[in-house]
PDB file of all heavy atoms in Angstrom:
ATOM      1  N   LYS A 148      -9.240  24.857   1.981  1.00  0.00           N
ATOM      2  CA  LYS A 148      -9.991  26.038   2.411  1.00  0.00           C
ATOM      3  C   LYS A 148     -10.156  27.038   1.258  1.00  0.00           C
ATOM      4  O   LYS A 148     -11.103  27.862   1.281  1.00  0.00           O
ATOM      5  CB  LYS A 148      -9.264  26.718   3.552  1.00  0.00           C
ATOM      6  CG  LYS A 148      -9.365  25.930   4.871  1.00  0.00           C
ATOM      7  CD  LYS A 148      -8.615  26.646   5.999  1.00  0.00           C
ATOM      8  CE  LYS A 148      -8.746  25.857   7.294  1.00  0.00           C
ATOM      9  NZ  LYS A 148      -7.983  26.512   8.413  1.00  0.00           N
ATOM     10  N   THR A 149      -9.308  26.942   0.234  1.00  0.00           N
ATOM     11  CA  THR A 149      -9.480  27.839  -0.909  1.00  0.00           C
ATOM     12  C   THR A 149     -10.671  27.488  -1.762  1.00  0.00           C
ATOM     13  O   THR A 149     -11.155  28.289  -2.545  1.00  0.00           O
ATOM     14  CB  THR A 149      -8.207  27.830  -1.808  1.00  0.00           C
ATOM     15  OG1 THR A 149      -8.105  26.559  -2.435  1.00  0.00           O
ATOM     16  CG2 THR A 149      -6.937  28.148  -0.996  1.00  0.00           C
ATOM     17  N   GLY A 150     -11.134  26.239  -1.671  1.00  0.00           N
ATOM     18  CA  GLY A 150     -12.230  25.753  -2.470  1.00  0.00           C
ATOM     19  C   GLY A 150     -11.840  25.459  -3.922  1.00  0.00           C
ATOM     20  O   GLY A 150     -12.718  25.180  -4.755  1.00  0.00           O
ATOM     21  N   LEU A 151     -10.566  25.481  -4.217  1.00  0.00           N
ATOM     22  CA  LEU A 151     -10.079  25.296  -5.598  1.00  0.00           C
ATOM     23  C   LEU A 151      -9.561  23.899  -5.860  1.00  0.00           C
ATOM     24  O   LEU A 151      -9.305  23.546  -7.013  1.00  0.00           O
ATOM     25  CB  LEU A 151      -8.975  26.290  -5.907  1.00  0.00           C
ATOM     26  CG  LEU A 151      -9.340  27.781  -5.761  1.00  0.00           C
ATOM     27  CD1 LEU A 151      -8.084  28.663  -5.939  1.00  0.00           C
ATOM     28  CD2 LEU A 151     -10.393  28.154  -6.809  1.00  0.00           C
ATOM     29  N   PHE A 152      -9.386  23.087  -4.795  1.00  0.00           N
ATOM     30  CA  PHE A 152      -8.716  21.798  -4.922  1.00  0.00           C
ATOM     31  C   PHE A 152      -9.514  20.662  -4.293  1.00  0.00           C
ATOM     32  O   PHE A 152     -10.266  20.881  -3.337  1.00  0.00           O
ATOM     33  CB  PHE A 152      -7.318  21.859  -4.303  1.00  0.00           C
ATOM     34  CG  PHE A 152      -6.402  22.838  -4.957  1.00  0.00           C
ATOM     35  CD1 PHE A 152      -6.318  24.148  -4.505  1.00  0.00           C
ATOM     36  CD2 PHE A 152      -5.601  22.471  -6.025  1.00  0.00           C
ATOM     37  CE1 PHE A 152      -5.479  25.082  -5.134  1.00  0.00           C
ATOM     38  CE2 PHE A 152      -4.753  23.397  -6.648  1.00  0.00           C
ATOM     39  CZ  PHE A 152      -4.701  24.670  -6.166  1.00  0.00           C
ATOM     40  N   LEU A 153      -9.311  19.492  -4.852  1.00  0.00           N
ATOM     41  CA  LEU A 153      -9.888  18.250  -4.318  1.00  0.00           C
ATOM     42  C   LEU A 153      -8.750  17.310  -3.939  1.00  0.00           C
ATOM     43  O   LEU A 153      -7.708  17.343  -4.586  1.00  0.00           O
ATOM     44  CB  LEU A 153     -10.796  17.596  -5.379  1.00  0.00           C
ATOM     45  CG  LEU A 153     -11.979  18.442  -5.870  1.00  0.00           C
ATOM     46  CD1 LEU A 153     -12.625  17.719  -7.037  1.00  0.00           C
ATOM     47  CD2 LEU A 153     -12.987  18.647  -4.746  1.00  0.00           C
ATOM     48  N   PHE A 154      -8.990  16.513  -2.922  1.00  0.00           N
ATOM     49  CA  PHE A 154      -7.956  15.560  -2.517  1.00  0.00           C
ATOM     50  C   PHE A 154      -8.530  14.146  -2.406  1.00  0.00           C
ATOM     51  O   PHE A 154      -9.685  13.936  -2.031  1.00  0.00           O
ATOM     52  CB  PHE A 154      -7.386  15.955  -1.146  1.00  0.00           C
ATOM     53  CG  PHE A 154      -6.393  17.093  -1.240  1.00  0.00           C
ATOM     54  CD1 PHE A 154      -6.848  18.426  -1.248  1.00  0.00           C
ATOM     55  CD2 PHE A 154      -5.051  16.842  -1.370  1.00  0.00           C
ATOM     56  CE1 PHE A 154      -5.925  19.470  -1.403  1.00  0.00           C
ATOM     57  CE2 PHE A 154      -4.126  17.885  -1.502  1.00  0.00           C
ATOM     58  CZ  PHE A 154      -4.598  19.191  -1.507  1.00  0.00           C
ATOM     59  N   GLN A 155      -7.731  13.188  -2.830  1.00  0.00           N
ATOM     60  CA  GLN A 155      -8.102  11.803  -2.703  1.00  0.00           C
ATOM     61  C   GLN A 155      -7.977  11.379  -1.229  1.00  0.00           C
ATOM     62  O   GLN A 155      -7.327  12.042  -0.437  1.00  0.00           O
ATOM     63  CB  GLN A 155      -7.164  10.954  -3.616  1.00  0.00           C
ATOM     64  CG  GLN A 155      -7.316  11.278  -5.093  1.00  0.00           C
ATOM     65  CD  GLN A 155      -6.290  10.499  -5.913  1.00  0.00           C
ATOM     66  OE1 GLN A 155      -5.333   9.960  -5.419  1.00  0.00           O
ATOM     67  NE2 GLN A 155      -6.527  10.472  -7.234  1.00  0.00           N
ATOM     68  N   PRO A 156      -8.598  10.243  -0.891  1.00  0.00           N
ATOM     69  CA  PRO A 156      -8.393   9.709   0.502  1.00  0.00           C
ATOM     70  C   PRO A 156      -6.887   9.531   0.729  1.00  0.00           C
ATOM     71  O   PRO A 156      -6.118   9.260  -0.187  1.00  0.00           O
ATOM     72  CB  PRO A 156      -9.137   8.388   0.446  1.00  0.00           C
ATOM     73  CG  PRO A 156     -10.177   8.529  -0.620  1.00  0.00           C
ATOM     74  CD  PRO A 156      -9.507   9.410  -1.684  1.00  0.00           C
ATOM     75  N   PRO A 157      -6.474   9.604   2.012  1.00  0.00           N
ATOM     76  CA  PRO A 157      -5.042   9.427   2.306  1.00  0.00           C
ATOM     77  C   PRO A 157      -4.508   8.130   1.706  1.00  0.00           C
ATOM     78  O   PRO A 157      -5.167   7.081   1.799  1.00  0.00           O
ATOM     79  CB  PRO A 157      -5.034   9.396   3.847  1.00  0.00           C
ATOM     80  CG  PRO A 157      -6.219  10.130   4.254  1.00  0.00           C
ATOM     81  CD  PRO A 157      -7.282   9.854   3.210  1.00  0.00           C
TER      82      PRO A 157
END
Side-chain angles (χ1 to χ4, degrees):
K148 289 179 179 179
T149 67
L151 300 173
F152 297 91
L153 301 171
F154 283 84
Q155 298 175 344

